[in-house]
């Protein structure tokens, strides 16, 4: 009898254990399926004033604007002032000074990268059940294969590894060294299938396909997608401004040819945003998605790779310590937000996005990562703006151009600058006579976009477009303290950035001996003392694409595996170069 009872007890225990397991498994699957898809669309070198939700009618961005008005406009999102530091901060959740990524950018011929001991956002999400995809720009190292995206947490990469490419040929030319090669890959394989196609469209189509695959085949696994556009960055120096003819034709009212091309480049990217939202809607993924749009830094109005981008009325531009180089025009949308259709004035740093989006997905990053970024998900979700944010924008102790930019709360300190200060002014004022013909019916234009209509279906609510546009506009009246010049090459400058976002009134002389300024300066010195040395390395001539079938590639690995062949190719290349450039004829 006891044997039968024992058997019954054992069976009951097994059934109970099985039931508990099934419930746990079901619960786990439900938790996984309910985790939001995270879609980040990043523009490259887009000016702060180059989205029309900021108020400009020079050229319109109706799809980006519709996303912004439907969601939350991030009025104070700060990025690093250049591409590589900004992308490093996004993916690591750390200040560039703490990863050695603070000085300039990785030029294609330089053998360095985001340190391999740094954990990326893609690794965090993939480690928690997400499928991870990067479409477009990487720019965090390529001289070794293990520096590249699919070795750093991305399941998929379609795009380029270096700084930028031609919009049609996908080639990168480093004119000062005479290097020229193709730079476009599908995962680790060079692909030429896209040659002749406009790269904004290539990346958009890939994003749409990724979303459709996700929706139809793999919907139990959430998607982390970083659509990292080339647009509106300039292409190679021989043809920096490129846009399809049909897009260009819409902007004939703009007299300056460079600016006309720039408007078309931005406009094509704006259409990309619309297609991504449409794809999410078709796959019924919008309800459970977070969509973020931002730029990696301010736009370059003048100088190297300049495009006529405008950060006006903010001061400065890309690669400068001013607001115009640091503030990103950004917007985010999710059904989780309690205050959809609002302008959020909380300061947020690009490095905050890792812990913030992780929290949205119920992920707690390992404390051992020592993130500088803050988890602002609750503040964003409920719309409160009371977190005092400390942001190290840049501390670069380069001997030739030492400079720093630091904010705590409303106070901002600048010391030193870039390019001798020639881009320290207020650049990019628009021709007021040149207005997009659609601007007269602006609100109808926004409401008729598929973005607006699709987002309204899943998050209906009244939005006062005109009021939101006014709130997102930056005005620069003369400060109550008067105009007080800042000469950062002569002395530090101090600004009350809340009262004076355009950095017109330097308060350093008034506060230099107060605890307010001295505490800020002491904190800056502490960061500088503890900073990771810059990872930068000098150029390496072994990178020359001529040695690798005219492809930009992980040349250090190629050298290691075929040093003899590479050496012979170098000799042949040198000899041909000598013959072609000499006066001797054979």
């Amino acid at each position: 009898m006891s044997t039968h009872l024992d058997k019954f007890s054992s069976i009951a225990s097994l059934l109970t254990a099985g039931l508990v397991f099934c419930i746990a498994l079901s619960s786990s699957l439900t938790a996984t399926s309910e985790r939001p898809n995270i879609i980040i669309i990043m523009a490259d070198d887009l000016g702060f004033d180059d989205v029309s939700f900021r108020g400009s009618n020079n050229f319109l961005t109706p799809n980006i604007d519709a996303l912004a008005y439907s969601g939350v406009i991030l009025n104070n999102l700060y990025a690093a002032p250049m591409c590589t530091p900004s992308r490093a901060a996004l993916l690591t959740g750390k200040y560039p000074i703490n990863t050695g990524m603070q000085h300039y950018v990785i030029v294609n011929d330089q053998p360095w990268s985001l340190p391999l001991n740094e954990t990326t956002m893609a690794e965090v999400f993939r480690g928690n059940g997400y499928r991870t995809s990067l479409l477009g720009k990487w720019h965090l190292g390529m001289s070794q294969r293990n520096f590249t995206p699919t070795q750093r947490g991305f399941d998929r990469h379609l795009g380029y590894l270096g700084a930028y490419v031609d919009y049609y040929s996908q080639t990168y030319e480093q004119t000062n060294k005479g290097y020229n090669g193709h730079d476009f890959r599908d995962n680790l394989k060079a692909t030429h299938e896209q040659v002749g196609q406009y790269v904004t469209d290539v990346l958009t189509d890939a994003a749409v396909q990724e979303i459709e695959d996700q929706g139809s085949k793999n919907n139990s696994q959430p998607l982390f997608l970083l659509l990292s556009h080339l647009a509106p960055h300039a292409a190679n120096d021989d043809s920096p401004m490129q846009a399809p003819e049909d897009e260009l034709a819409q902007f004939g009212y703009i007299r300056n040819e460079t600016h006309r091309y720039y408007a078309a480049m931005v406009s094509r990217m704006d259409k990309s945003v619309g297609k991504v939202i449409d794809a999410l809607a078709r796959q019924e993924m919008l309800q459970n998605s977070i969509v973020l749009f931002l730029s990696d830094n301010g736009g370059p109005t003048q100088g190297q790779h300049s495009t006529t981008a405008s950060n006006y009325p903010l001061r400065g531009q890309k690669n400068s310590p001013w607001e115009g180089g640091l503030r990103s025009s950004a917007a985010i949308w999710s059904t989780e937000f309690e205050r959809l259709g609002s302008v959020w004035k909380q300061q947020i740093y690009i490095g905050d996005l890792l812990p913030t989006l992780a929290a949205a997905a119920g992920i707690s990053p390992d404390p051992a990562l020592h993130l500088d970024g803050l988890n602002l998900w609750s503040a964003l979700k409920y719309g409160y703006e009371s977190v005092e944010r400390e942001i190290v924008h840049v501390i670069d102790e380069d001997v030739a151009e030492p400079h720093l930019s630091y904010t705590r709360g409303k106070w901002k300190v600048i010391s030193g600058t870039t390019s001798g200060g020639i881009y320290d002014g207020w650049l990019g004022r628009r021709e007021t006579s040149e207005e997009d013909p659609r601007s007269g019916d602006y609100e109808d234009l926004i409401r008729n976009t598929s973005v607006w209509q699709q987002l309204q279906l899943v998050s209906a609510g009244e939005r006062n477009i005109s009021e939101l546009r006014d709130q997102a506009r930056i005005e620069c009246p003369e400060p109550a303290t008067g105009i007080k010049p800042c000469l950062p090459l002569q002395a530090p400058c101090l600004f009350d950035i809340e009262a004076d976002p355009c950095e017109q009134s330097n308060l350093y002389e008034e506060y230099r001996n107060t605890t307010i300024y001295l505490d800020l300066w002491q904190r800056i010195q502490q960061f500088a003392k503890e900073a990771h040395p810059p990872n930068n390395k000098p150029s390496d001539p072994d990178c020359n694409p001529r040695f690798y079938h005219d492809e930009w590639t992980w040349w250090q690995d190629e050298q290691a595996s075929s040093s003899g062949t590479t050496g012979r190719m170098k000799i042949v290349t040198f000899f041909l170069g000598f013959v072609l450039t000499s006066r001797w004829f054979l």
Side-chain angles (χ1 to χ4, degrees), residues 99-342:
T99 60
M101 307 299 288
Q102 65 267 45
H103 179 62
Y104 202 61
V105 300
I106 301 175
V107 184
N108 277 34
D109 65 350
Q110 294 176 349
W112 60 288
S113 75
L114 179 70
L116 293 175
N117 63 346
E118 295 295 342
T119 299
T120 69
M121 182 188 287
E123 290 172 308
V124 170
F125 280 94
R126 185 166 71 176
N128 285 273
Y130 275 74
R131 170 172 168 74
T132 57
S133 183
L134 169 65
L135 303 175
K137 179 171 178 169
W138 173 238
H139 207 191
L140 289 173
M142 67 172 177
S143 61
Q144 297 177 26
R145 188 181 289 103
N146 60 355
F147 292 167
T148 61
T150 56
Q151 312 301 298
R152 304 304 303 269
F154 288 99
D155 295 311
R156 170 88 194 283
H157 175 231
L158 178 75
Y160 53 105
L161 298 172
Y164 55 88
V165 290
D166 182 274
Y167 279 78
Y168 290 99
S169 67
Q170 290 98 55
T171 57
Y172 170 84
E173 183 175 3
Q174 196 168 328
T175 52
N176 64 331
K177 302 289 177 63
Y179 303 151
N180 192 9
H182 175 261
D183 180 13
F184 210 78
R185 292 184 177 267
D186 191 343
N187 292 336
L188 294 176
K189 182 181 178 182
T191 172
H192 290 253
E193 293 179 10
Q194 298 79 13
V195 171
Q197 300 176 56
Y198 193 65
V199 76
T200 303
D201 297 343
V202 169
L203 298 176
T204 301
D205 291 346
V208 168
Q209 187 63 56
E210 190 80 49
I211 291 165
E212 289 179 346
D213 289 347
Q214 178 75 15
S216 60
K217 302 175 185 175
N218 198 24
N219 56 14
S220 65
Q221 184 183 28
L223 175 65
F224 173 81
L225 171 62
L226 174 54
L227 174 52
S228 182
H229 272 299
L230 169 63
H233 196 292
N236 293 313
D237 291 345
D238 60 345
S239 180
M241 309 302 291
Q242 301 179 11
E245 286 299 323
D246 62 325
E247 205 70 49
L248 195 62
Q250 300 177 59
F251 301 98
Y253 63 91
I254 297 177
R255 292 184 293 273
N256 180 288
E257 183 181 37
T258 301
H259 189 49
R260 187 161 62 248
Y261 269 93
Y262 181 70
M265 291 156 75
V266 174
S267 179
R268 197 65 160 209
M269 181 183 63
D270 179 72
K271 288 184 170 65
S272 173
V273 172
K275 290 180 178 180
V276 168
I277 297 295
D278 286 346
L280 289 168
R282 282 195 303 273
Q283 297 303 320
E284 298 182 351
M285 292 167 61
L286 265 179
Q287 181 71 34
N288 193 35
S289 292
I290 298 170
V291 183
L292 167 67
F293 174 85
L294 75 162
S295 178
D296 62 344
N297 44 248
T301 308
Q302 301 173 9
Q304 187 180 29
H305 304 312
S306 59
T307 57
T308 72
S310 176
N311 309 295
Y312 195 82
L314 299 179
R315 187 172 182 172
Q317 63 169 40
K318 174 184 177 179
N319 190 25
S320 80
W322 310 96
E323 294 288 290
L326 302 169
R327 281 178 69 172
S328 171
S329 272
I332 189 168
W333 179 89
S334 168
T335 56
E336 289 292 303
F337 297 150
E338 301 246 328
R339 295 182 58 203
L340 287 169
S342 64

